[in-house]
Amino acid sequence: TRQHKVLDSMVEQGFVSKADADAAKAEPILDTILPQTSQFTDMKAPHFVQMVRSQLEAELGKATVGKGGLIVTTTLDLNIQNKLEESFKDMFDCEGYSYACKPNYAGFTNGAATVEDTQTGQIVAMMGSRNYNYADFGQDNAAMAYIQPGSTIKPLVYAKLFSENEDANKNIYGSGTILPDVKTTFDGNYTPNNADKSFKGNISIRQSLALSRNIPAIKAEAVSGVKPTLDMIRAAGDVNYCTQGADAQVGLASAIGGCGTRQVDHVNAFSTLARGGTYKPYSTVLEVKNSENRVIKQWKDTGAKKVIDPQVAYILADILSDDNARAGLYGRNFPGLVVDGGKVKTASKTGTSDVNGKSKDIWMMSYSPALTMGVWLGNPDTSPLKNGNSSIPGPIINKVMAYAHEEVYAK
């Protein structure tokens, strides 16, 4: 080994004795070398900590971060983080294949969640996998991975349709407008289907969004235009949606979540809706002090930009909190879509993405003026699910959003 060669050279040049060199060679140093990830094993919120470290390395330089001595105050709320971890444990620690054990019933092995303070954009809790110590993929941060958001992209598609258009003939759309849910062939011989392989005919946009119909959403993007719609989606916070590789040419399929986005970005886009259409960058760090106790980085509430008309954001929140409108999919008062039996007022959207006609990703988004949350469930190898029911993340959303609103933010 290189170690042995160096020691032999040191003996030849008289820097060490042969006995000392032999003793050093006999030392099992490789047994004591651990991978960098091992330092996060017993750390609280390890995925979040790794993300913060990476961001600080990009901003301050690897040398500054690497030499240590920094005092970093993050945006994490440990109480909400603990409740999030508890909710994931409740979801994954089960046996059997009934609906009660959702991972086995649906066929998913992993999940990720991000919780953001709506008013500031500060991330207060995050899980990048089901458990950081889980074998094979636990250390991978799925909250930072590009995953198709499915129908959870649709509120942003309709946000563009409802927005003022330079073409006055297109300023006619609202929640009561009819966009027929019928078999349609779009440009490029694109003939999409709905998840249930059926069509509901003349239904309002309120019903279309609440019941997550694909055809009206694609029609909405066709009216607004693919590029203007994507521009708004990115401006809202999904900054890299439909930009990665082949995704850049995806076209109208982007209206139903046909491109990848990062969960942290997607949650931030929903925070934009929750803020009444005002974008703010998400943040993870409140303050950084160096070894001399000098502040070298401090969070400031800057970067706000109005990207969606407040009236449009209000209409979308009204639709996404309409439990009667979505009753045809989930029934009424479904946990997660309705938080703590309605004691916490939230707006929600579910979604699934698929491969070869089979669901592979399950999403649920939930937001209020106080907090915005997103949950993804799926498989790290993108293999399809056995049952792609998009209501499955509900228990996680319900537990965390109820606790955070009632026990943390109410005080």
Side-chain angles (χ1 to χ4, degrees), residues 263-325:
Q263 186 181 85
V264 290
D265 296 327
H266 201 40
V267 167
N268 199 38
F270 271 74
S271 279
T272 296
L273 294 177
R275 282 189 292 265
T278 298
Y279 164 83
K280 290 183 179 182
Y282 74 80
S283 55
T284 60
V285 175
L286 293 174
E287 184 181 79
V288 179
K289 291 182 179 179
N290 63 14
S291 57
E292 299 170 351
N293 208 36
R294 182 169 60 89
V295 175
I296 59 175
K297 176 180 171 64
Q298 192 167 44
W299 179 81
K300 292 187 174 78
D301 194 3
T302 58
K305 183 179 180 182
K306 178 184 167 185
V307 296
I308 297 171
D309 188 287
Q311 289 183 309
V312 170
Y314 176 85
I315 292 169
L316 290 168
D318 186 61
I319 296 172
L320 297 175
S321 60
D322 188 341
D323 203 38
N324 291 324

Side-chain angles (χ1 to χ4, degrees), residues 142-158:
M144 294 290 286
Y146 285 92
I147 300 172
Q148 292 181 351
S151 292
T152 61
I153 204 70
K154 290 174 183 174
L156 299 170
V157 173
Y158 284 113

Side-chain angles (χ1 to χ4, degrees), residues 4 23 48 50 153 169 179 181 193 251 315 317 353 364-365 395:
H4 288 195
F48 178 83
Q50 284 182 307
I153 204 70
N169 294 322
L179 281 179
D181 180 22
N193 212 331
I315 292 169
S353 68
M364 185 178 285
M365 310 296 293

Side-chain angles (χ1 to χ4, degrees), residues 9 12-13 71 94 136 175 180 213 225-226 229 239 251-252 266 280 364 369 395:
S9 296
E12 291 174 6
Q13 296 176 38
I71 302 171
C94 63
D136 297 329
S175 62
R213 309 305 291 174
V226 173
T229 301
V239 292
L252 286 172
H266 201 40
K280 290 183 179 182
M364 185 178 285

Side-chain angles (χ1 to χ4, degrees), residues 97-227:
Y97 290 86
S98 69
Y99 183 76
C101 187
K102 294 172 179 60
N104 292 343
Y105 166 81
F108 60 85
T109 58
N110 200 19
T114 302
V115 187
E116 182 177 306
D117 180 290
T118 297
Q119 295 307 312
T120 62
Q122 295 170 357
I123 294 176
V124 296
M126 170 192 282
M127 287 195 70
S129 70
R130 61 184 289 177
N131 186 320
Y132 185 81
N133 297 316
Y134 193 80
D136 297 329
F137 57 79
Q139 294 171 356
D140 298 333
N141 189 352
M144 294 290 286
Y146 285 92
I147 300 172
Q148 292 181 351
S151 292
T152 61
I153 204 70
K154 290 174 183 174
L156 299 170
V157 173
Y158 284 113
K160 181 58 183 174
L161 182 70
F162 292 163
S163 299
E164 186 174 355
N165 196 299
E166 293 179 0
D167 183 348
N169 294 322
K170 294 181 179 180
N171 290 327
I172 59 173
Y173 296 95
S175 62
T177 307
I178 302 295
L179 281 179
D181 180 22
V182 296
K183 185 176 181 179
T184 306
T185 298
F186 297 89
D187 289 348
N189 202 32
Y190 176 43
T191 309
N193 212 331
N194 287 301
D196 62 2
K197 308 295 191 294
S198 71
F199 303 95
K200 292 191 176 295
N202 290 332
I203 58 174
S204 68
I205 289 177
R206 175 179 291 272
Q207 292 172 299
S208 296
L209 180 54
L211 298 176
S212 209
R213 309 305 291 174
N214 288 342
I215 310 307
I218 297 168
K219 287 182 175 179
E221 185 164 305
V223 170
S224 303
V226 173
K227 185 180 184 304

Side-chain angles (χ1 to χ4, degrees), residues 22 34 36 43 79 81 94 184 259 285 307 372 406:
D22 289 341
L34 299 173
Q36 184 185 31
M43 187 176 291
N79 290 321
Q81 177 70 26
C94 63
T184 306
C259 304
V285 175
V307 296
T372 303
E406 296 169 348

